[in-house]
Amino acid sequence: MRVRSDEPRQDDPDFAADIAFVAKGGGTLFAGRLFTWGIRFGVAVMLARLLGADGYGAYNLALSLATIGGIVPLLGFDTAIVRYTAIFAGRGDWGAVRANLRLMLSLSAALSLLVTVGLVFFAEPVAGALLHDRQLAPLVLISALMVPTLVLNIQLGSALRGVRRIAREVFADQVFQPVVRLALLLMLVVVGLTVSRALLAWTVASLATTVLLAYLVIRALPPHGHEGGKSLSKRELLRFSGPVFLSNVVSKSGDQLQTLLLGALSTITNVGVFAVATNVNLIGSLVHSSLVSASMPLFAEAQDVEKRPALEKLYQLTSRWSLTLNLPIFLVVVAYAQVVLALFGPEFRSGALPLGILAAANLLNAGTGMSGAVLDMTGHTALKLLNATVSVVLGIALNVILVPSLGLMGAAIAALALTAGVNILPLAEVLLLERASPYNRQFMKPIVAGGLAFFLSIGVKILLGGTGELVQAAAGIPVLFVTYGLVLLRLGIDDDDRLVLRRVRERFPRRRRTPFGVHPS
């Protein structure tokens, strides 16, 4: 491979456009996902209080079953759609974009229907194994109906991301869907909310989102243009998506098996508490996942045109942003876990320590950078399968060993081990294969700022020790965020961050001006 040796500069128009796109796209995704998390958090509080720990546990087991059912029909095409849509769109070959989308969407839709039929047929034995009650088979039937919409929503969203229409994906998946779901749940509260009715609201909202995403994808593709493109050969498509598919089966199944194993080896009540801890902790992954989604097309394009220096620079920049924005969230969760969990009810306070361990897993995920996305977008998908297999085997083994004796704590420790395996292995592989590391001296700034902010916040908490948890949190959390921000500013802002801030200032005061090089979304 021919490698360009020149380092990307901030005044390089292409590099400036890429930084601005990542900042804008990642910011858009984060805003949408934060909105979704806010609604999801409110829904979790409502369902936990109305259904109790048992009911909320059954609800989450059904959602986990639907998620696992959707893994096989994805066939690894969600990642393939982002990569090849970005590459062919960058070449202007819209015919190839359409042909490949039709191929991958039709195959996944057909397979998702087969999975639905299978879940319907085996509903009673599945309910007996996971929910400890064959009479709860209707919950499995509703899970089966979710599968096709889950699959299509992920792939249609990937198509919009591939053509850099991130704002449209965010609107459909992160705004429209949770609002519809919340509205349906509020109506059901009036008539009487049950686990099955809550799951039906989830399914209807997901179906409405499928229709909207399909419309947005059709609108995003130019009506005219080069139509000579052909779909990828089956061999080429399988060579890329096959390892991704197997990796997703392993890794995503591992994520959901955490919930299913806890239900099978422990109690549904523990599943409910663990689900609440996971929902609270989800905010810590929002920044990282948003930056990953926004960066993936750029990693693919940089690799396609052999711009390795730009790829490494983006790798370092997005990794540092992820750690910087995740670190204060982790510190808040660790310091004030009891206060947050008390919102769901007294029976959920036992999840405080597992919540802290899950927060550590999220921080590890953010701190190891974009290595998994870089591996995918540079074509090293076989390694992703190896990494996922090793980590999930370890995670399942730890669940089987630890959950029967430690319950929630065992599940949290297993989740931390799974996260470590998924992230540390690709970090080393990117370093060896692409000679790229996410780390530089700038990484020390958030670490120093976080340490000072945490100790000052804990000091405030100790000083207010006799005033109650809510007062301590109300005083300590603002102190933590303000201190963190001020220390970061005092340590200095580097040139890449100044570029992003300059683009933001250009964007908002004068709406008619478009940041140079930023693709509309």
Side-chain angles (χ1 to χ4, degrees):
M1 177 183 286
R2 176 177 58 86
V3 180
R4 291 173 53 173
S5 60
D6 52 304
E7 289 292 329
R9 302 172 323 204
Q10 282 75 25
D11 58 352
D12 177 3
D14 290 335
F15 184 65
D18 287 346
I19 291 179
F21 174 76
V22 171
K24 178 186 177 184
T28 302
L29 282 168
F30 174 71
R33 289 173 180 174
L34 183 62
F35 178 81
T36 301
W37 177 85
I39 291 182
R40 181 173 176 175
F41 186 85
V43 167
V45 172
M46 178 177 68
L47 293 179
R49 287 191 169 274
L50 293 177
L51 301 178
D54 284 350
Y56 191 60
Y59 172 83
N60 278 278
L61 281 170
L63 290 181
S64 293
L65 180 62
T67 303
I68 288 181
I71 292 172
V72 172
L74 281 174
L75 294 171
F77 289 165
D78 50 333
T79 303
I81 286 174
V82 175
R83 184 173 194 264
Y84 289 111
T85 299
I87 289 174
F88 288 124
R91 298 174 185 175
D93 193 348
W94 294 103
V97 171
R98 291 189 182 89
N100 286 298
L101 282 177
R102 284 194 295 267
L103 173 65
M104 289 185 270
L105 287 173
S106 60
L107 288 174
S108 292
L111 191 54
S112 67
L113 291 176
L114 290 178
V115 172
T116 296
V117 172
L119 283 175
V120 169
F121 187 76
F122 292 104
E124 285 196 9
V126 170
L130 296 180
L131 304 175
H132 308 292
D133 187 353
R134 296 173 72 94
Q135 298 300 316
L136 296 178
L139 301 185
V140 179
L141 295 177
I142 300 173
S143 297
L145 297 177
M146 297 178 185
V147 173
T149 61
L150 275 173
V151 172
L152 290 175
N153 288 354
I154 291 172
Q155 296 196 339
L156 291 169
S158 296
L160 289 172
R161 210 176 311 136
V163 294
R164 300 195 182 192
R165 300 301 188 266
I166 293 177
R168 300 182 188 183
E169 178 200 3
V170 169
F171 171 75
D173 195 47
Q174 310 295 333
V175 178
F176 176 80
Q177 181 167 214
V179 167
V180 172
R181 187 176 301 148
L182 177 61
L184 292 172
L185 286 171
L186 290 175
M187 287 188 289
L188 290 173
V189 168
V190 176
V191 300
L193 185 65
T194 62
V195 176
S196 58
R197 288 175 178 175
L199 291 171
L200 282 173
W202 202 103
T203 306
V204 172
S206 184
L207 177 60
T209 305
T210 304
V211 175
L212 177 59
L213 280 169
Y215 169 76
L216 293 174
V217 169
I218 293 172
R219 288 289 305 273
L221 301 181
H224 303 290
H226 178 59
E227 297 293 338
K230 298 180 180 179
S231 61
L232 296 165
S233 67
K234 293 181 179 179
R235 176 177 297 181
E236 183 178 3
L237 183 59
L238 289 176
R239 186 168 61 245
F240 178 84
S241 64
V244 175
F245 162 65
L246 294 174
S247 173
N248 287 345
V249 169
V250 175
S251 62
K252 293 183 180 179
S253 294
D255 293 341
Q256 300 304 319
L257 280 174
Q258 185 83 61
T259 300
L260 298 183
L261 284 172
L262 186 59
L265 300 174
S266 185
T267 64
I268 294 182
T269 299
N270 274 343
V271 173
V273 177
F274 190 80
V276 164
T278 302
N279 271 318
V280 172
N281 197 49
L282 183 63
I283 190 173
S285 66
L286 296 182
V287 176
H288 179 74
S289 61
S290 300
L291 288 171
V292 167
S293 297
S295 301
M296 286 173 69
L298 299 180
F299 291 144
E301 290 178 18
Q303 191 269 343
D304 185 49
V305 298
E306 302 178 0
K307 295 173 64 175
R308 183 174 291 171
L311 187 150
E312 182 175 20
K313 186 69 173 178
L314 285 169
Y315 182 30
Q316 293 177 345
L317 183 63
T318 52
S319 298
R320 178 166 55 81
W321 286 351
S322 178
L323 177 66
T324 300
L325 295 171
N326 269 285
L327 184 54
I329 298 172
F330 163 75
L331 298 175
V332 168
V333 170
V334 169
Y336 301 99
Q338 290 278 359
V339 179
V340 176
L341 291 174
L343 297 173
F344 296 85
E347 59 188 323
F348 294 96
R349 293 174 69 96
S350 61
L353 188 53
L355 174 59
I357 296 174
L358 292 176
N362 263 344
L363 187 64
L364 175 64
N365 187 40
T368 49
M370 306 285 162
S371 50
V374 173
L375 276 182
D376 284 348
M377 295 298 101
T378 53
H380 302 296
T381 52
L383 288 173
K384 183 177 182 180
L385 171 60
L386 174 64
N387 300 338
T389 302
V390 171
S391 59
V392 169
V393 168
L394 174 63
I396 291 176
L398 287 174
N399 269 288
V400 173
I401 295 171
L402 298 176
V403 167
S405 57
L406 298 179
L408 288 173
M409 280 295 300
I413 293 170
L416 178 59
L418 175 63
T419 302
V422 167
N423 288 280
I424 294 175
L425 286 175
L427 180 71
E429 289 156 356
V430 171
L431 181 61
L432 291 174
L433 295 171
E434 297 294 329
R435 298 191 296 278
S437 169
Y439 303 119
N440 54 34
R441 288 179 297 177
Q442 300 295 328
F443 263 78
M444 289 304 300
K445 293 180 180 179
I447 294 173
V448 172
L452 292 173
F454 180 75
F455 285 115
L456 187 57
S457 179
I458 292 297
V460 171
K461 183 178 179 181
I462 293 173
L463 288 174
L464 299 175
T467 59
E469 291 178 337
L470 285 177
V471 175
Q472 295 169 22
I477 292 176
V479 167
L480 191 150
F481 277 104
V482 170
T483 303
Y484 184 73
L486 290 176
V487 174
L488 279 179
L489 289 174
R490 184 67 182 87
L491 292 174
I493 300 175
D494 73 358
D495 292 337
D496 295 325
D497 297 330
R498 288 193 182 93
L499 173 63
V500 172
L501 293 174
R502 186 167 67 248
R503 298 292 181 185
V504 172
R505 285 196 298 268
E506 291 174 355
R507 176 75 176 177
F508 288 101
R510 301 178 184 179
R511 280 284 186 184
R512 290 174 295 179
R513 292 185 61 186
T514 302
F516 181 78
V518 177
H519 296 264
S521 56

